[in-house]
Amino acid sequence: MNFEVAFVFAVLGVALWMFITERYRVDQVAIAIPVVLLVGGVLTAEQAVSGLSSPATVTVAAMLIIGLGLVKTGAVAILGQWARTAPLGGPTLRLLILCLVVGAVSPFLNNTAVVVVFIPVFLGLAQQAQEPPSRYLMPLSFAAILGGTVTLIGTSTNLVVWGLAEERGLTELHLFSIAPLGVIYLAVGLAYLFTVGQWLIPRRLGPPDLSQKYEVRRYVTELEVGEGSPVAGKTLQELEWRARHGVSILGIQRGKKAISAPGAQRSVEVGDVLFVQGDTARLLNLARRLKLATPAERIRRSLKLEHPEGRLVEILVSPGSAAANRSLKELRFRQRYGATVLAVQHHGVAVETAKLADITLAVGDLLLVHGPAEVLDALADESGFVPLAEVERTATPRPRALFAIAILIGVIAVTGVGVWSILQAALVGVLVMIFSGCVQLKEIYRELDWSVLFLLAGLIPLGLAMDESGAALWMGQGIAAWLSPYGPSAAIAAFYLVTSLLTAVMSNAAAAVVLTPIALLTAADLQMNPYALLVAVMFGASASFITPVGYQTNTLIFTPGAYRFSDFLKVGAPLNLLLLITAAIFIPIFWPS
């Protein structure tokens, strides 16, 4: 082992450790990798930036833009609206049919966007059936993941493996090349979820209402505005207590009049009793400085959080949200949206009230928001926020929705019949989307999930470095020597297993980038069909069933479903094993050596 091989392995080891420990963001780690390899002399400057122009990166970007166009025109929402009202039979049959619908659209749409649209639908279905959300959301996420394996554009991971194969001269993978195996996967996965899986999926009942779920009332107290208080005469926007002190004003009692969810322009008067939420020490400090009655002197009153003038709504932070990777203080949430965040659940754990303003929000976090009904309705229409309860929306015409669908169908058609490559068709689709007004450039700049592209731009040079340095060859020869006595099925099962385990603790794209060059060199040494191991890596990277962090759809359902990490292991591990056996049986049939 020479210096370059050792250096690449060292970089790979440190990167894997950072991915697993999550001390830094995955895209932050990824963009550092080619710089380190450049400084170490393993890559040239041109090779270090090759990830930016890679067919995989460009194709993923193009498909994300096409997906964004479908979302912005309302084409994806149409599907959710149909699912809410369609007569689909009893609860179990309805759940099965909706999982089949999710599995049918995920091969052609970004499965994260599909799950975002269907989360409220599945929650409503659970409520109608008087079942806990945990029984319904896991099948939703797993069906979307399984559906994404049917085509090359079903997931960004499929496109990554396809792009890496194209760069190495393996050009026989087309849009529907993996469809036969993907359909079998979908059928096997759904059969498991609706038989054995029904016994393993947890039945976890939550608190009866939102205020109890988040223990809001435990942190609410009263402060009375006394004579000479500097608070009197000021509006809530001028006070800015949430941003300055981490304290929220939830309501005002003015004589016999109760003001629920007061707006930012509501002024405070002498004698008002403010219902406030916040850390006890901060409340006492405010009361002392601003001449407010302390909690010990308060008059017992009841605060109605659910009121015609004010409501509670759970909002899920989804990919592309302005809230992701920012704090409520940085967002100036109340000033920006006119509503108050009372509580946050981060990875299923409630955040301490005193830290609400400063915690960095992440995709999958749940915000308990309190505000006027019209404000919450507007917030529900904000891109990147998903209300977990039905809200009233004004029906607006979507004249370009059908056109956006036609663009997607066109991309699929010209790719499927071989007129253009996936990259060519996707680029033309993006151009038509932009010039037809289905999606605007400012929406692309603001809402596209750029972290995925930076992740690929950083990781693809790592795969190149493994090739250039000989690290992939060194590992491939060692793995081939170990697997040679056991035949192709054993090699397929081994790569599938390793990939699925890696993708459980780190990005699935990262797992695919690391293992694809090794798989190709191993296949050469074993004199196997290289596509057999490529597909094993591709499907293994999508087998993100045993943790809530391996795949974004699992992250999105984790908190709303009140799941624990162990729930995914209990349900996902048997499914992974079943799919591994499926891969070992069918991949040699479809891609024989």
Side-chain angles (χ1 to χ4, degrees), residues 399-415:
R400 294 185 179 89
L402 293 178
F403 192 70
I405 294 173
I407 293 171
L408 176 64
I409 292 173
V411 169
I412 294 168
V414 298
T415 304

Side-chain angles (χ1 to χ4, degrees), residues 59 71 221 250 274 316 407 426 453 456 478 494:
T59 306
V71 171
T221 190
L250 309 184
L274 310 179
L316 179 68
I407 293 171
L453 304 182
L456 295 180

Side-chain angles (χ1 to χ4, degrees), residues 25 64 67 79 81 261-262 310 325 344 421 450 466 492 542 560:
R25 288 178 45 166
L64 287 176
L79 191 62
Q81 291 166 4
N325 303 312
V344 174
S421 69
W450 293 99
M466 293 183 69
I492 290 167
S542 292

Side-chain angles (χ1 to χ4, degrees), residues 210-211 216 305-306 310-314 342 368-371 376 389:
L210 294 178
S211 60
V216 172
L305 295 174
E306 292 282 4
R311 289 165 41 204
L312 287 173
V313 172
E314 280 184 294
L342 304 186
L368 181 64
V369 182
H370 183 243
L376 296 181

